[in-house]
Amino acid sequence: EFWNLPAQFISKDITSILITVGANDIVNCIPTIVNNIESKFPSFCIRIIISSNTKNISAIRELTNNTNVTLLENPPIDLIIKSMREADIAISASGQTLCELASLGVPGICFSIIENQTNHGKAWNYNNGFYYAGEWGNNETIDKIMKELDNLQDFTIREQMSKNLKNLMDTYGAMRIVDVLLSKNAFNML
């Protein structure tokens, strides 16, 4: 689903933010992130993707009382891709979703919610992909998210980040494997 898609359009101004932490908000971070964004950037439209099975679904549903917050519960893959493509930036846990966002060139901020995401988030940051804000639960993480959100107000930073992401995750890996397997050289390797 995430290959052979057109390049991400980078808007001059941020108006739409996508928040996703995987299927389940196991650390109850979404309300804190949304409340901080709404406080500083009340005009931003915020779209949240989550499973309806998440423990804190009631608290997340309450966030939609603000007309600028939309909740997508258990959306189909085509709606997930559409939401990613419509986002000016994404704020995401440092899981597999980062690869999907990168393949689309969606600039953003990541953080880890479980230990095995830490190196993944740091690697994206090191390679000038996503900004890494740290491990959730650390008091500084939300401050770093908001600081990086300020940095991403700069169009040229978002534009360069988008290019970097597309270069890091070009989506043709599976096709390269097929090409190698179908080539004459692959048969000589057997």
Side-chain angles (χ1 to χ4, degrees):
E1 289 95 2
F2 288 92
W3 60 291
N4 215 18
L5 293 169
Q8 179 77 2
F9 173 76
I10 305 299
S11 300
K12 289 286 181 194
D13 298 308
I14 295 174
T15 60
S16 176
I17 296 178
L18 175 69
I19 299 175
T20 180
V21 294
N24 208 331
D25 184 8
I26 60 174
V27 295
N28 195 30
C29 62
I30 290 176
T32 302
I33 294 169
V34 169
N35 290 331
N36 274 269
I37 293 170
E38 285 184 317
S39 175
K40 188 164 186 176
F41 304 102
S43 66
F44 285 2
C45 293
I46 302 169
R47 188 175 287 175
I48 303 164
I49 296 177
I50 198 76
S51 165
S52 58
N53 296 327
T54 192
K55 292 185 305 186
N56 62 334
I57 194 65
S58 296
I60 294 171
R61 285 179 180 147
E62 285 180 26
L63 297 169
T64 63
N65 292 337
N66 179 328
T67 57
N68 288 344
V69 178
T70 304
L71 178 62
L72 300 173
E73 294 181 47
N74 308 317
I77 191 66
D78 60 324
L79 186 53
I80 292 172
I81 293 171
K82 181 179 186 288
S83 298
M84 288 178 173
R85 293 198 50 77
E86 291 175 351
D88 295 313
I89 66 164
I91 298 174
S92 176
S94 298
Q96 178 64 30
T97 302
L98 290 183
C99 297
E100 296 159 354
L101 290 164
S103 73
L104 296 171
V106 181
I109 304 161
C110 65
F111 59 96
S112 52
I113 58 174
I114 54 177
E115 186 178 332
N116 71 2
Q117 293 180 342
T118 302
N119 287 336
H120 194 224
K122 286 179 178 179
W124 281 108
N125 190 79
Y126 177 80
N127 288 294
N128 299 313
F130 298 100
Y131 287 134
Y132 179 67
E135 298 175 14
W136 192 264
N138 178 332
N139 293 334
E140 297 172 358
T141 303
I142 190 64
D143 294 334
K144 287 181 183 176
I145 289 172
M146 297 308 293
K147 176 183 175 261
E148 300 303 0
L149 190 51
D150 278 335
N151 290 336
L152 287 171
Q153 298 297 308
D154 186 323
F155 168 77
T156 57
I157 291 174
R158 284 183 284 115
E159 185 178 47
Q160 186 59 53
M161 183 182 279
S162 179
K163 289 176 185 174
N164 293 347
L165 291 167
K166 290 289 283 182
N167 287 334
L168 290 167
M169 185 66 60
D170 73 3
T171 71
Y172 295 108
M175 294 305 294
R176 287 186 189 105
I177 292 170
V178 169
D179 286 346
V180 168
L181 292 175
L182 294 177
S183 74
K184 292 179 184 177
N185 292 336
F187 291 107
N188 292 336
M189 289 188 277
L190 297 176

